[in-house]
Amino acid sequence: MDAFFASAEQASKPSLRGKAVVVGGLGPRGVVATASYEARVFGVNSAMPMAQARRLAPNAAYLVPRGAFYRSISEQVMGLLHALSPLVEPLSLDEAFVDLEAGQAAWDEESARLAGIKLRADIRAVTGLTGSVGLAASKMLAKIASEQAKPDGLVVIEPGTERALLGPMPVRTLPGVGPATGDHLRRVGISTVDDLAVAGEDELVRLLGKAHGHALYTMALAHDERPVVAARETKSVSVEDTYDVDIHDRIRVGTEVGRLADRCVRRLRGAGLSGRTIVLKVRRYDFSTLTRSETLRGPTDDPAVVREAAARLLESVDTTGGVRLLGVGVSGLADYTQEDLFAQAAGEQAALEPEGDAEHEAVEERETPAEWRWTTGHDVRHAEFGHGWVQGSGLGRVTVRFETPDSEQPGRVRTFRTDDPALEPADPLPLVALGPRRPDGPAGEPTGQMSSVPASLPKSWSGNGGGGATSRP
């Protein structure tokens, strides 16, 4: 999904189409999650500190991510992939491998190409976004092809051309070669994939260790036997927050841990799961990160149980000097609970009180300043003006642009008091499906030596749906 978050925001907000959009944390310690292609022109990239992005592109629109909205689009795209094959291996919300052979989605050159064209048309018709597809005989090469196809394209790597294609590419192209490994190799004169192959396996093992050295040498020869593995079960559920200013007050730290525990349980229940191991994560002022865990006698999805366990774990952590990040997670997941094993000291009293989630949410709402409810980029509804999104808030005011995904023109902007009873947070509206494009457009035609699908069916297909400015109508 090319520039997925930013593309989704542009599609849902007509006033942002064709403009620089940056999605990520907006606080002093925030980082860029995704930048639109218009923002990338200014040098803004994912994982960049948000402060640096603002210096590079001061006029871009800066938005806070809408996770549930992106997940809903991702589920639609993944559903299209599962219609092609039972073997779909998601890498993240915005990318997956598909084994075409297992799904019998293609049997020769023409059917394979048509399957790719149809997938891209279906993504556009269902989500209103576009998709980029890479087709190859292995996962590594399919991934490289999908990168070559961005944005809004389809690229095929023809068997027999892999070595010639990979050779001049930088070593960072290969999976597992990050900045540190890339710099280490560059210092010894290895800059391209061809350099890796020439260096030989023994030298790479000496430089990088047995496992990593062997793997890189194998990939440099264009060998990748990794199978497409269907989606694995969720192993844990967790939430965490990074704070703009270090938290020093111990009571505040405890309150934050309680809120994170409740958020974690809501996510746990949303997935229909429970868990027996509670994990607390604390990153201190000096960037040292501590984790503590407690395993219960059986799985639970009781917010009171998780809160109390997280509080006990916090007691063993020294927060003197300040805390910059807190997280709470639950692992050892199951699809059932054993609440009878978790009688708490205050259990009888708790039975007389409102349900834990609702009660704690009400307390959190009362304790949260009104401005916190108006998150930049998030959806709102006004009793008179209808649906809109927050452009900014502060000093007791919130500015809203009223528009929807199907608005033909950018919407009007109005400012309200943050406590205006007519204004309230709202759920995102679905994107407008745009219908399939003609399959013979220039973006859909691969070029060069990667332009043909072999007669024998390639095994792996990496799909990247997405869009950005160049893919809008």
Side-chain angles (χ1 to χ4, degrees):
M1 309 279 277
D2 296 327
F4 175 42
F5 296 175
S7 297
E9 296 295 351
Q10 289 175 318
S12 68
K13 299 175 171 64
S15 59
L16 298 183
R17 294 172 188 171
K19 297 183 179 180
V21 175
V22 180
V23 181
L26 301 189
R29 292 173 178 166
V31 297
V32 175
T34 308
S36 70
Y37 288 102
E38 297 87 348
R40 295 180 191 188
V41 171
F42 298 98
V44 180
N45 294 297
S46 59
M48 173 182 289
M50 190 62 74
Q52 181 182 357
R54 288 185 182 275
R55 289 192 296 270
L56 293 171
N59 296 322
Y62 289 86
L63 309 176
V64 175
R66 295 186 290 166
F69 177 54
Y70 308 144
R71 282 192 292 274
S72 68
I73 301 173
S74 174
E75 288 170 359
Q76 292 177 307
V77 175
M78 295 298 172
L80 295 174
L81 301 184
H82 280 286
L84 285 171
S85 172
L87 290 184
V88 177
E89 181 179 345
L91 300 182
S92 61
L93 283 179
D94 60 352
E95 189 170 13
F97 290 113
V98 182
D99 188 326
L100 289 180
E101 195 170 38
Q104 298 182 346
W107 50 91
D108 59 14
E109 176 178 347
E110 182 63 18
S111 61
R113 186 179 299 280
L114 290 176
I117 292 172
K118 182 178 184 301
L119 173 63
R120 293 176 55 232
D122 288 346
I123 289 174
R124 186 177 182 86
V126 170
T127 70
L129 302 175
T130 60
S132 295
V133 172
L135 183 65
S138 70
K139 289 166 68 172
M140 177 185 72
L141 293 167
K143 167 68 173 172
I144 291 172
S146 71
E147 295 291 337
Q148 296 282 335
K150 294 180 181 181
D152 191 19
L154 183 152
V155 163
V156 180
I157 297 180
E158 182 178 353
T161 68
E162 295 95 341
R163 288 287 302 277
L165 172 71
L166 283 177
M169 291 184 173
V171 293
R172 289 288 304 277
T173 303
L174 300 181
V177 182
T181 301
D183 288 343
H184 182 55
L185 292 170
R186 180 179 50 79
R187 285 194 294 270
V188 297
I190 298 177
S191 301
T192 67
V193 176
D194 263 344
D195 293 338
L196 286 171
V198 171
E201 183 174 2
D202 291 344
E203 177 65 8
L204 294 179
V205 168
R206 185 185 70 80
L207 290 170
L208 304 172
K210 184 174 181 180
H212 201 182
H214 172 74
L216 281 189
Y217 180 69
T218 300
M219 287 188 288
L221 300 180
H223 296 159
D224 180 15
E225 300 300 326
R226 295 173 300 162
V228 175
V229 180
R232 299 178 178 87
E233 293 184 0
T234 303
K235 294 183 179 180
S236 65
V237 173
S238 63
V239 297
E240 62 181 43
D241 277 342
T242 300
Y243 302 98
D244 295 341
V245 179
D246 290 349
I247 302 176
H248 292 83
D249 182 68
R250 183 76 178 187
I251 295 177
R252 168 84 188 282
V253 172
T255 300
E256 293 296 323
V257 167
R259 289 176 176 170
L260 288 167
D262 280 2
R263 282 172 51 194
C264 184
V265 169
R266 288 196 291 271
R267 183 172 295 182
L268 195 70
R269 287 181 168 182
L273 298 169
S274 60
R276 64 194 304 263
T277 299
I278 315 303
V279 181
L280 175 70
K281 177 180 177 181
V282 179
R283 180 167 298 151
R284 299 188 293 190
Y285 68 98
D286 59 357
F287 288 90
S288 61
T289 302
L290 305 175
T291 57
R292 300 287 186 269
S293 64
E294 175 181 324
T295 299
L296 307 172
R297 293 171 56 196
T300 184
D301 65 354
D302 187 330
V305 173
V306 177
R307 280 201 304 271
E308 291 177 15
R312 286 193 298 271
L313 294 171
L314 180 61
E315 292 175 0
S316 66
V317 177
D318 180 11
T319 59
T320 304
V323 170
R324 61 187 296 118
L325 177 148
L326 291 168
V328 174
V330 177
S331 60
L333 302 182
D335 57 2
Y336 64 95
T337 62
Q338 290 179 290
E339 299 304 342
D340 57 304
L341 300 179
F342 304 110
Q344 303 297 305
E348 294 181 1
Q349 178 62 29
L352 303 176
E353 298 176 350
E355 184 179 350
D357 271 356
E359 176 191 21
H360 198 71
E361 285 177 3
V363 172
E364 183 172 343
E365 181 70 20
R366 288 196 300 271
E367 294 178 349
T368 301
E371 286 85 350
W372 292 10
R373 300 175 62 203
W374 312 120
T375 305
T376 304
H378 283 218
D379 299 81
V380 294
R381 173 166 288 280
H382 190 274
E384 178 181 353
F385 302 109
H387 193 93
W389 58 278
V390 176
Q391 286 201 225
S393 65
L395 301 177
R397 297 287 188 272
V398 55
T399 299
V400 177
R401 184 181 289 275
F402 289 98
E403 60 186 2
T404 63
D406 59 352
S407 299
E408 295 184 1
Q409 300 292 333
R412 296 186 64 181
V413 176
R414 295 182 180 271
T415 299
F416 307 91
R417 292 179 57 87
T418 54
D419 59 358
D420 189 327
L423 188 68
E424 61 182 5
D427 292 330
L429 297 177
L431 297 184
V432 178
L434 299 179
R437 294 171 59 184
R438 293 186 301 112
D440 57 350
E445 288 300 322
T447 59
Q449 71 182 70
M450 297 179 285
S451 63
S452 62
V453 179
S456 59
L457 179 66
K459 294 181 179 179
S460 181
W461 183 355
S462 172
N464 284 343
T470 58
S471 61
R472 297 301 311 168

